[in-house]
C-alpha cells in the first residue's frame, strides 16, 4: 500500500530541481541595497563588533542571556560566529553576515532535503520541504 503513494523523480530531474533551488536561494539573498538593512542585521553587527572589540559578550547580564531568554537579550551563537569569521579572515563584519546568510541558505536546502527523506521517502515531499524551509525568512 505504501508504494502507491511513493513519487520519484529521475536523476536528471533531481539535478535540475536542485540547481533551480540553489539558484533561487542565491537570488533571494542578493541585497537590494549596497549596505545591510533590517534590525536583525544591525543587532548582529553591533553584537559581533562588541565581541571583537572587548573579547567577550558584554551583554550577558545573566546566564539566561547566553540563550536569549533573559529580557532584552539576544542569542549569542551568531554574533560569536560572525565575529570569529571576521577576525580570522579579515573581512568586514557586514560582508561576513551576507556570506554567512548565503552559506546557511544553501546548507538549508540540503539539510531539509535529507531531513524530509528521513520522515517520508517521497521525492516530491522532499523537494517541497527543501523549497519551503530554504526560502522562508
Amino acid at each position: 500500500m505504501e508504494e502507491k503513494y511513493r513519487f520519484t523523480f529521475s536523476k536528471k530531474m533531481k539535478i535540475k530541481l536542485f540547481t533551480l533551488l540553489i539558484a533561487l536561494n542565491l537570488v533571494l539573498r542578493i541585497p537590494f541595497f549596497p549596505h545591510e538593512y533590517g534590525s536583525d542585521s544591525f543587532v548582529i553587527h553591533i553584537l559581533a563588533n562588541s565581541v571583537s572589540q572587548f573579547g567577550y559578550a558584554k551583554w550577558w547580564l545573566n546566564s539566561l542571556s547566553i540563550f536569549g531568554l533573559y529580557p532584552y537579550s539576544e542569542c549569542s551563537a551568531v554574533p560569536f560566529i560572525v565575529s570569529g569569521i571576521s577576525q580570522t579572515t579579515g573581512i568586514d563584519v557586514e560582508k561576513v553576515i551576507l556570506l554567512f546568510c548565503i552559506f546557511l541558505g544553501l546548507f538549508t536546502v540540503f539539510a531539509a532535503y535529507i531531513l524530509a527523506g528521513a520522515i517520508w521517502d517521497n521525492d516530491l515531499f522532499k523537494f517541497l520541504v527543501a523549497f519551503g524551509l530554504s526560502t522562508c525568512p
Side-chain angles (χ1 to χ4, degrees):
M1 174 125 180
E2 189 173 318
E3 288 295 321
K4 178 176 153 183
Y5 296 108
R6 188 169 175 157
F7 189 85
T8 57
F9 291 125
S10 66
K11 189 173 182 179
K12 249 176 140 172
M13 184 60 108
K14 285 182 186 179
I15 291 171
K16 287 179 185 177
L17 287 173
F18 264 120
T19 304
L20 289 173
L21 259 177
I22 289 169
L24 175 67
N25 273 278
L26 289 174
V27 167
L28 286 177
R29 283 163 177 79
I30 294 173
F32 296 116
F33 306 108
H35 296 286
E36 63 189 354
Y37 61 94
S39 62
D40 291 345
S41 293
F42 289 121
V43 169
I44 298 300
H45 193 147
I46 291 167
L47 295 179
N49 282 342
S50 173
V51 170
S52 296
Q53 184 176 4
F54 299 111
Y56 65 98
K58 290 189 80 147
W59 66 89
W60 286 354
L61 303 175
N62 189 337
S63 59
L64 294 175
S65 296
I66 298 169
F67 307 106
L69 298 175
Y70 196 71
Y72 304 113
S73 65
E74 188 75 27
C75 291
S76 300
V78 174
F80 275 97
I81 291 171
V82 168
S83 174
I85 293 171
S86 175
Q87 288 179 33
T88 55
T89 61
I91 301 173
D92 186 37
V93 172
E94 185 176 5
K95 290 180 180 76
V96 170
I97 291 172
L98 175 64
L99 293 173
F100 188 68
C101 179
I102 290 171
F103 171 76
L104 278 183
L106 295 178
F107 175 75
T108 304
V109 170
F110 298 108
Y113 183 85
I114 292 170
L115 176 67
I119 294 171
W120 187 25
D121 190 22
N122 183 336
D123 284 345
L124 181 63
F125 174 72
K126 292 189 276 189
F127 276 105
L128 287 175
V129 169
F131 172 78
L133 190 61
S134 68
T135 57
C136 69

